[in-house]
Amino acid sequence: MTFENKVVWITGASSGIGKELALTLSKTNCNLILSSRRKDELERVKSACNNTENIKVLAFDLSHYANMKTIVEDAVKAFGKIDLLINNGGISQRSPIIDTTIEVDKKLMEVDYLGTVALSKALLTHFIENQSGHYVVVSSLMGKFSSPFRSAYCGAKHALHGFFDALRLEHDKDNIKVTMICPGFVNTNVARNALTADGSKQGYQDNMTENGLPVNVFVKRMVRAIEKEKYEAYIGKFEKFGVFVKRLSPKLLHKLVLKSRVR
């Protein structure tokens, strides 16, 4: 596929991967809808983009998933259709299971899983009517295997794979595509904004994230995976090989992850 003349809707577009996607795709001949909770930040991102006349801002909160039908209606009105929904919005978590309140688990599921699923379901009728559509879901390598101190995050990301694999199967007949993007460590503020055991933000960067892929490098690889309509893309440094190690030997991966002591 190509982004030429497409309408692309990006959630989580106010920072990190979403912001870089907006900057990158604004250089192509496509229309963009940028979404996140913070309208002021979205406007700043829009101002930094090329072809701002082809960009609309639509602020909403993924955790308010009962409102998604209205949100989708507003998005479709912006340019008359949606071709791609890039589900990038979400939060991470860093805390031991034994200390993590159930409210934190609930928050991760509401934002990372239920919000994304509700938005995608609300858009599904539009895709079926057009007999065309492409869901891109920014999951994580943690959606394929787990790591200590990320239990709620891993649970939500694993759930996304289960849902969207089923959606791909059910709507193959409607020419609806699904691409799961699985980042490893990417140098964004994801660790700083991660929730800790009591729901407060971690507030600092970790070494693995700091030394992860530069966000512009990651986004270039992500865009190529979308254009190739890949089912899944694992994008990172050495950590991406954990997906393949798990297929061969879950016990070996267990030992390797413990040895790395990723925190």
Side-chain angles (χ1 to χ4, degrees), residues 25-141:
L25 294 181
S26 73
K27 299 172 185 176
T28 68
N29 186 27
C30 71
N31 296 306
L32 294 175
I33 303 170
L34 307 182
S35 292
S36 75
R37 290 179 297 122
R38 301 174 293 173
K39 186 176 181 180
D40 56 339
E41 291 299 320
L42 290 171
E43 292 290 354
R44 290 190 183 96
V45 173
K46 177 180 175 179
S47 297
C49 288
N50 295 83
N51 302 310
T52 55
E53 68 278 6
N54 296 334
I55 301 174
K56 302 290 186 182
V57 163
L58 178 59
F60 70 96
D61 191 329
L62 273 174
S63 66
H64 299 165
Y65 43 84
N67 302 328
M68 293 309 180
K69 182 178 178 181
T70 300
I71 296 296
V72 166
E73 289 172 353
D74 291 341
V76 171
K77 287 176 185 176
F79 296 106
K81 66 170 183 172
I82 306 291
D83 294 298
L84 285 88
L85 170 60
I86 301 181
N87 284 303
N88 172 66
I91 50 177
S92 191
Q93 168 251 345
R94 301 286 191 279
S95 54
I97 293 170
I98 197 167
D99 298 329
T100 304
T101 66
I102 196 66
E103 286 76 18
V104 171
D105 296 275
K106 182 180 177 183
K107 182 68 173 178
L108 266 290
M109 289 301 292
E110 285 179 337
V111 176
D112 290 7
Y113 178 70
L114 289 174
T116 294
V117 167
L119 180 62
S120 299
K121 290 179 74 170
L123 184 60
L124 184 57
T125 299
H126 179 73
F127 279 176
I128 293 171
E129 288 173 349
N130 291 338
Q131 284 294 285
S132 179
H134 194 161
Y135 292 105
V136 178
V137 184
V138 179
S139 173
S140 171
L141 291 179

Side-chain angles (χ1 to χ4, degrees), residues 120 124 135 162-172 176 178:
S120 299
L124 184 57
Y135 292 105
F163 176 84
F164 281 97
D165 283 351
L167 189 152
R168 186 192 292 114
L169 287 163
E170 288 185 27
H171 293 283
D172 179 79
I176 295 173
V178 175

Side-chain angles (χ1 to χ4, degrees), residues 146-148 251-262:
S146 293
S147 179
K251 182 178 286 189
L252 175 59
L253 178 65
H254 174 89
K255 292 177 180 179
L256 290 173
V257 171
L258 285 180
K259 186 176 181 180
S260 71
R261 297 183 182 276
V262 174

